[in-house]
Amino acid sequence: MEYIPLKILVGKATITRVEETKFALPTDTLFPEWDTRYGQSMGGILNPASLDLVNQQVPLQTHLWVMEIGGLTIVIDTGIGNGKARPFSKLFDMLDTPLLKRFEEAGFQREQVDYVLLTHLHVDHVGWNTHWEDGRWSPVFPNATYVFSKQECDFFSTPGGAARRMVFEDSVLPIIEAGMARMIPDEGEEILDGIRFLPTPGHSTGHMVISIDSHGETAVFSGDVMHSPLQVYRPTWNSVFCLDQQAAQKSREWLLAYAANKNAIVFSAHFPETSAGSIQQGGNGYEWLYVPV
Protein backbone atom coordinates (compact mmCIF):
# COMPACT_ATOMS: atom_id res chain seq x y z
CA MET A 1 0.00 0.00 0.00
CA GLU A 2 1.29 3.44 -0.92
CA TYR A 3 2.37 5.55 2.03
CA ILE A 4 0.55 8.90 2.02
CA PRO A 5 2.04 11.28 4.58
CA LEU A 6 0.36 14.22 6.26
CA LYS A 7 1.41 17.62 4.86
CA ILE A 8 0.75 21.01 6.49
CA LEU A 9 1.49 24.47 5.10
CA VAL A 10 2.73 27.28 7.36
CA GLY A 11 3.53 30.44 5.44
CA LYS A 12 5.85 29.33 2.63
CA ALA A 13 6.93 26.21 4.52
CA THR A 14 5.62 22.74 3.68
CA ILE A 15 5.88 20.43 6.69
CA THR A 16 5.49 16.67 6.23
CA ARG A 17 5.09 14.04 8.93
CA VAL A 18 6.91 10.73 8.39
CA GLU A 19 5.65 8.22 10.96
CA GLU A 20 7.86 5.79 12.82
CA THR A 21 5.88 3.89 15.48
CA LYS A 22 2.88 4.09 17.83
CA PHE A 23 2.50 2.94 21.44
CA ALA A 24 0.66 3.85 24.64
CA LEU A 25 1.51 4.34 28.30
CA PRO A 26 -0.75 4.00 31.36
CA THR A 27 -2.20 7.35 32.37
CA ASP A 28 -0.85 7.23 35.92
CA THR A 29 2.58 6.11 34.71
CA LEU A 30 3.04 8.93 32.23
CA PHE A 31 1.48 11.51 34.54
CA PRO A 32 2.22 10.90 38.24
CA GLU A 33 -0.37 13.56 39.12
CA TRP A 34 -3.08 11.79 37.13
CA ASP A 35 -6.52 12.27 38.67
CA THR A 36 -9.13 9.77 37.52
CA ARG A 37 -12.06 12.10 38.18
CA TYR A 38 -10.50 14.89 36.14
CA GLY A 39 -9.46 12.42 33.45
CA GLN A 40 -13.03 11.22 33.04
CA SER A 41 -14.15 14.82 32.52
CA MET A 42 -11.68 15.09 29.63
CA GLY A 43 -13.51 12.32 27.79
CA GLY A 44 -15.85 14.89 26.34
CA ILE A 45 -12.97 17.04 25.08
CA LEU A 46 -10.31 14.61 23.84
CA ASN A 47 -11.39 11.61 21.81
CA PRO A 48 -10.09 8.07 22.50
CA ALA A 49 -7.36 8.44 19.88
CA SER A 50 -5.72 10.96 22.23
CA LEU A 51 -6.96 9.77 25.64
CA ASP A 52 -8.09 6.17 26.01
CA LEU A 53 -10.15 6.20 29.19
CA VAL A 54 -11.47 2.66 28.70
CA ASN A 55 -7.96 1.22 28.97
CA GLN A 56 -6.56 4.10 31.05
CA GLN A 57 -3.83 4.79 28.51
CA VAL A 58 -2.33 7.78 26.73
CA PRO A 59 -1.74 7.00 23.02
CA LEU A 60 1.63 8.27 21.81
CA GLN A 61 3.77 8.02 18.69
CA THR A 62 7.10 8.98 17.20
CA HIS A 63 7.72 10.57 13.82
CA LEU A 64 10.01 12.87 11.86
CA TRP A 65 8.86 16.29 10.75
CA VAL A 66 10.37 17.28 7.38
CA MET A 67 10.19 20.95 6.47
CA GLU A 68 10.77 22.39 3.00
CA ILE A 69 11.40 26.12 3.10
CA GLY A 70 13.41 28.53 0.95
CA GLY A 71 14.96 25.71 -1.08
CA LEU A 72 16.12 23.87 2.04
CA THR A 73 15.05 20.50 3.39
CA ILE A 74 15.11 20.33 7.19
CA VAL A 75 14.35 17.37 9.47
CA ILE A 76 13.19 18.09 13.03
CA ASP A 77 13.91 15.33 15.57
CA THR A 78 14.74 11.83 14.40
CA GLY A 79 12.77 9.35 16.48
CA ILE A 80 14.03 6.06 17.91
CA GLY A 81 15.96 4.46 15.05
CA ASN A 82 16.47 0.84 14.02
CA GLY A 83 18.65 -1.88 15.49
CA LYS A 84 19.74 0.05 18.58
CA ALA A 85 20.11 -1.73 21.90
CA ARG A 86 17.91 -0.01 24.49
CA PRO A 87 17.85 -2.35 27.52
CA PHE A 88 16.12 0.34 29.56
CA SER A 89 13.03 0.35 27.29
CA LYS A 90 11.25 -2.60 25.67
CA LEU A 91 9.33 -0.11 23.53
CA PHE A 92 12.52 1.24 21.95
CA ASP A 93 14.84 -1.78 21.99
CA MET A 94 16.09 -3.09 18.62
CA LEU A 95 13.28 -1.64 16.51
CA ASP A 96 12.86 -2.57 12.87
CA THR A 97 10.52 -0.06 11.24
CA PRO A 98 10.23 1.00 7.58
CA LEU A 99 10.83 4.67 8.37
CA LEU A 100 13.45 5.25 5.66
CA LYS A 101 11.18 3.62 3.10
CA ARG A 102 8.35 5.91 4.21
CA PHE A 103 10.75 8.84 3.99
CA GLU A 104 11.44 8.02 0.35
CA GLU A 105 7.78 7.33 -0.41
CA ALA A 106 7.01 10.78 0.99
CA GLY A 107 9.18 12.18 -1.80
CA PHE A 108 12.49 12.74 -0.01
CA GLN A 109 16.04 11.49 -0.43
CA ARG A 110 18.39 11.30 2.53
CA GLU A 111 21.08 13.14 0.57
CA GLN A 112 18.87 16.21 0.03
CA VAL A 113 18.52 17.04 3.75
CA ASP A 114 20.39 20.24 4.58
CA TYR A 115 19.77 20.45 8.33
CA VAL A 116 18.67 18.18 11.14
CA LEU A 117 17.36 20.17 14.12
CA LEU A 118 17.09 18.42 17.48
CA THR A 119 14.95 19.77 20.31
CA HIS A 120 16.92 17.62 22.76
CA LEU A 121 19.02 14.47 22.82
CA HIS A 122 16.75 11.87 24.39
CA VAL A 123 16.62 8.35 22.95
CA ASP A 124 13.38 8.86 21.01
CA HIS A 125 14.54 12.07 19.34
CA VAL A 126 17.98 11.18 18.00
CA GLY A 127 17.69 7.59 16.76
CA TRP A 128 17.65 8.23 13.03
CA ASN A 129 20.66 10.53 13.30
CA THR A 130 22.58 7.37 12.46
CA HIS A 131 22.16 3.87 11.08
CA TRP A 132 24.40 0.81 10.94
CA GLU A 133 26.39 0.87 7.72
CA ASP A 134 29.71 -0.73 6.81
CA GLY A 135 30.27 -1.93 10.35
CA ARG A 136 29.68 1.36 12.13
CA TRP A 137 27.04 3.91 13.06
CA SER A 138 26.98 6.40 10.18
CA PRO A 139 24.98 9.58 9.59
CA VAL A 140 21.60 8.88 7.98
CA PHE A 141 21.62 12.31 6.33
CA PRO A 142 25.15 12.52 4.93
CA ASN A 143 25.02 16.11 3.69
CA ALA A 144 23.24 17.66 6.66
CA THR A 145 24.37 19.88 9.51
CA TYR A 146 22.97 18.51 12.77
CA VAL A 147 22.04 21.31 15.19
CA PHE A 148 21.43 20.83 18.93
CA SER A 149 22.03 22.30 22.36
CA LYS A 150 25.58 22.22 23.70
CA GLN A 151 24.21 21.80 27.21
CA GLU A 152 22.32 18.68 26.10
CA CYS A 153 25.53 17.25 24.69
CA ASP A 154 27.55 18.08 27.78
CA PHE A 155 24.98 16.37 30.02
CA PHE A 156 26.10 12.94 28.79
CA SER A 157 29.48 13.52 30.49
CA THR A 158 27.86 14.08 33.88
CA PRO A 159 26.82 11.40 36.41
CA GLY A 160 23.18 12.16 35.55
CA GLY A 161 23.79 11.31 31.92
CA ALA A 162 25.80 8.14 32.45
CA ALA A 163 22.77 5.83 32.30
CA ARG A 164 22.03 6.92 28.73
CA ARG A 165 25.61 7.17 27.51
CA MET A 166 24.88 4.45 24.93
CA VAL A 167 22.43 6.84 23.22
CA PHE A 168 25.17 9.41 22.90
CA GLU A 169 27.68 6.89 21.61
CA ASP A 170 25.53 5.45 18.80
CA SER A 171 23.40 8.47 17.84
CA VAL A 172 25.28 11.68 18.69
CA LEU A 173 29.01 11.01 18.90
CA PRO A 174 29.25 9.73 15.28
CA ILE A 175 27.79 13.05 14.12
CA ILE A 176 30.32 15.03 16.13
CA GLU A 177 33.23 12.88 14.96
CA ALA A 178 32.13 13.38 11.34
CA GLY A 179 32.34 17.15 11.82
CA MET A 180 28.63 17.56 11.08
CA ALA A 181 27.46 19.05 14.40
CA ARG A 182 26.62 22.65 15.24
CA MET A 183 25.92 23.37 18.89
CA ILE A 184 23.57 26.02 20.26
CA PRO A 185 24.41 28.10 23.37
CA ASP A 186 22.19 28.07 26.45
CA GLU A 187 20.37 31.27 25.49
CA GLY A 188 19.27 29.86 22.13
CA GLU A 189 20.08 31.16 18.67
CA GLU A 190 18.63 32.11 15.30
CA ILE A 191 20.37 29.63 13.01
CA LEU A 192 18.76 30.75 9.75
CA ASP A 193 16.49 33.62 8.83
CA GLY A 194 13.31 33.10 10.84
CA ILE A 195 14.41 29.78 12.38
CA ARG A 196 15.19 29.99 16.09
CA PHE A 197 16.11 27.68 18.93
CA LEU A 198 14.36 28.93 22.09
CA PRO A 199 15.36 27.55 25.52
CA THR A 200 12.69 25.51 27.32
CA PRO A 201 14.62 23.57 29.98
CA GLY A 202 13.03 21.17 32.42
CA HIS A 203 12.16 18.02 30.55
CA SER A 204 15.89 17.84 29.93
CA THR A 205 18.68 20.15 30.92
CA GLY A 206 19.10 21.92 27.58
CA HIS A 207 15.74 21.30 25.90
CA MET A 208 14.80 23.87 23.23
CA VAL A 209 11.74 24.38 21.09
CA ILE A 210 12.25 25.42 17.48
CA SER A 211 10.24 28.35 16.14
CA ILE A 212 9.79 29.08 12.43
CA ASP A 213 8.43 32.39 11.13
CA SER A 214 7.37 32.43 7.47
CA HIS A 215 5.33 35.12 5.74
CA GLY A 216 3.45 36.18 8.86
CA GLU A 217 2.78 32.65 10.13
CA THR A 218 4.54 30.65 12.84
CA ALA A 219 5.31 26.97 13.37
CA VAL A 220 6.64 25.73 16.70
CA PHE A 221 8.24 22.31 17.12
CA SER A 222 7.58 21.61 20.78
CA GLY A 223 9.73 18.55 21.47
CA ASP A 224 8.87 17.12 24.87
CA VAL A 225 7.59 20.26 26.56
CA MET A 226 4.31 18.36 26.21
CA HIS A 227 3.73 14.65 25.58
CA SER A 228 -0.06 14.82 25.23
CA PRO A 229 -2.75 17.42 24.49
CA LEU A 230 -3.94 16.67 28.01
CA GLN A 231 -1.13 18.95 29.25
CA VAL A 232 -2.60 21.91 27.36
CA TYR A 233 -5.54 21.65 29.74
CA ARG A 234 -3.40 20.68 32.72
CA PRO A 235 -0.08 22.50 32.24
CA THR A 236 0.94 21.77 35.83
CA TRP A 237 1.12 18.04 35.02
CA ASN A 238 4.65 17.00 34.19
CA SER A 239 5.49 13.69 32.58
CA VAL A 240 7.38 11.09 34.56
CA PHE A 241 10.33 11.74 32.24
CA CYS A 242 10.88 15.40 33.21
CA LEU A 243 14.26 16.01 34.84
CA ASP A 244 13.47 19.31 36.61
CA GLN A 245 9.80 19.41 37.55
CA GLN A 246 9.57 23.13 38.33
CA ALA A 247 11.47 24.22 35.23
CA ALA A 248 9.42 21.85 33.03
CA GLN A 249 6.16 23.39 34.22
CA LYS A 250 7.50 26.91 33.72
CA SER A 251 8.63 26.07 30.17
CA ARG A 252 5.24 24.53 29.37
CA GLU A 253 3.39 27.59 30.58
CA TRP A 254 5.71 29.80 28.54
CA LEU A 255 5.19 27.70 25.41
CA LEU A 256 1.41 27.76 25.72
CA ALA A 257 1.40 31.56 26.00
CA TYR A 258 3.92 31.94 23.17
CA ALA A 259 2.00 29.71 20.79
CA ALA A 260 -1.38 31.22 21.65
CA ASN A 261 -0.13 34.80 21.28
CA LYS A 262 1.46 34.08 17.90
CA ASN A 263 -1.46 31.94 16.69
CA ALA A 264 1.17 29.34 15.90
CA ILE A 265 0.75 25.81 14.62
CA VAL A 266 2.42 23.54 17.18
CA PHE A 267 4.10 20.43 15.79
CA SER A 268 4.35 17.91 18.60
CA ALA A 269 6.78 15.06 18.99
CA HIS A 270 4.37 12.50 20.46
CA PHE A 271 0.75 13.58 20.04
CA PRO A 272 -1.38 11.13 18.05
CA GLU A 273 -4.01 11.99 15.41
CA THR A 274 -2.48 14.68 13.16
CA SER A 275 0.20 15.45 15.81
CA ALA A 276 -0.14 19.20 15.09
CA GLY A 277 -2.57 21.88 16.16
CA SER A 278 -3.18 25.28 17.66
CA ILE A 279 -3.49 26.49 21.23
CA GLN A 280 -6.46 28.71 21.97
CA GLN A 281 -7.29 30.75 25.05
CA GLY A 282 -10.59 29.42 26.39
CA GLY A 283 -12.84 30.34 29.27
CA ASN A 284 -11.04 28.04 31.72
CA GLY A 285 -7.51 28.18 30.35
CA TYR A 286 -5.87 26.92 27.20
CA GLU A 287 -7.47 24.55 24.72
CA TRP A 288 -6.02 22.33 21.99
CA LEU A 289 -7.38 22.15 18.44
CA TYR A 290 -5.88 19.57 16.10
CA VAL A 291 -5.09 20.51 12.53
CA PRO A 292 -7.70 18.51 10.56
CA VAL A 293 -6.72 15.79 8.12
Side-chain angles (χ1 to χ4, degrees):
M1 182 180 295
E2 181 185 3
Y3 178 67
I4 303 176
L6 175 72
K7 291 182 180 287
I8 300 170
L9 300 180
V10 178
K12 295 293 185 181
T14 300
I15 301 169
T16 303
R17 183 183 65 181
V18 180
E19 297 180 49
E20 183 181 31
T21 190
K22 297 181 180 181
F23 53 98
L25 293 176
T27 51
D28 57 358
T29 297
L30 181 59
F31 298 120
E33 295 180 85
W34 171 258
D35 178 85
T36 300
R37 182 180 299 178
Y38 177 76
Q40 292 296 330
S41 73
M42 291 299 296
I45 297 173
L46 297 175
N47 71 44
S50 285
L51 181 61
D52 181 358
L53 292 172
V54 173
N55 297 300
Q56 292 289 291
Q57 291 183 329
V58 180
L60 301 166
Q61 66 180 62
T62 59
H63 44 256
L64 278 60
W65 291 111
V66 185
M67 180 171 63
E68 299 167 275
I69 185 170
L72 297 174
T73 301
I74 300 172
V75 171
I76 297 94
D77 284 345
T78 64
I80 301 164
N82 275 359
K84 295 186 171 180
R86 301 297 185 235
F88 52 84
S89 173
K90 291 182 179 179
L91 289 171
F92 300 161
D93 188 44
M94 300 301 290
L95 288 193
D96 183 15
T97 71
L99 181 130
L100 290 183
K101 183 179 181 218
R102 291 172 184 161
F103 187 82
E104 292 182 359
E105 290 176 345
F108 303 110
Q109 298 297 318
R110 295 187 292 113
E111 293 78 10
Q112 81 181 75
V113 174
D114 300 287
Y115 290 90
V116 175
L117 311 183
L118 304 172
T119 58
H120 62 302
L121 301 183
H122 279 182
V123 58
D124 51 337
H125 292 256
V126 300
W128 285 104
N129 284 359
T130 61
H131 62 163
W132 190 254
E133 185 178 59
D134 297 329
R136 62 190 178 94
W137 293 109
S138 301
V140 168
F141 307 105
N143 299 316
T145 298
Y146 290 68
V147 188
F148 49 86
S149 159
K150 183 178 186 302
Q151 188 174 165
E152 283 285 293
C153 186
D154 291 345
F155 180 74
F156 284 105
S157 298
T158 70
R164 298 293 185 267
R165 179 74 187 184
M166 67 181 67
V167 176
F168 176 79
E169 289 176 350
D170 64 33
S171 297
V172 181
L173 184 59
I175 301 302
I176 297 171
E177 291 179 338
M180 299 169 67
R182 173 178 171 181
M183 299 194 199
I184 301 296
D186 293 357
E187 64 272 18
E189 186 176 10
E190 182 173 30
I191 64 160
L192 296 165
D193 186 28
I195 301 179
R196 299 174 179 83
F197 277 72
L198 301 173
T200 47
H203 174 72
S204 62
T205 183
H207 189 288
M208 296 195 185
V209 301
I210 299 162
S211 182
I212 315 294
D213 290 321
S214 175
H215 289 256
E217 298 182 8
T218 301
V220 178
F221 296 88
S222 58
D224 280 358
V225 174
M226 301 182 291
H227 282 77
S228 162
L230 187 60
Q231 290 171 286
V232 176
Y233 300 87
R234 275 290 186 269
T236 58
W237 286 8
N238 289 323
S239 81
V240 68
F241 306 112
C242 289
L243 179 67
D244 183 325
Q245 300 288 309
Q246 185 175 1
Q249 180 180 329
K250 183 177 179 181
S251 289
R252 190 173 308 111
E253 291 170 345
W254 175 87
L255 173 64
L256 292 171
Y258 178 83
N261 290 338
K262 292 182 75 72
N263 196 30
I265 300 297
V266 177
F267 292 81
S268 75
H270 297 298
F271 290 17
E273 303 192 50
T274 59
S275 308
S278 60
I279 294 165
Q280 312 288 333
Q281 182 72 58
N284 297 310
Y286 293 109
E287 300 174 352
W288 174 260
L289 182 64
Y290 275 111
V291 170
V293 177

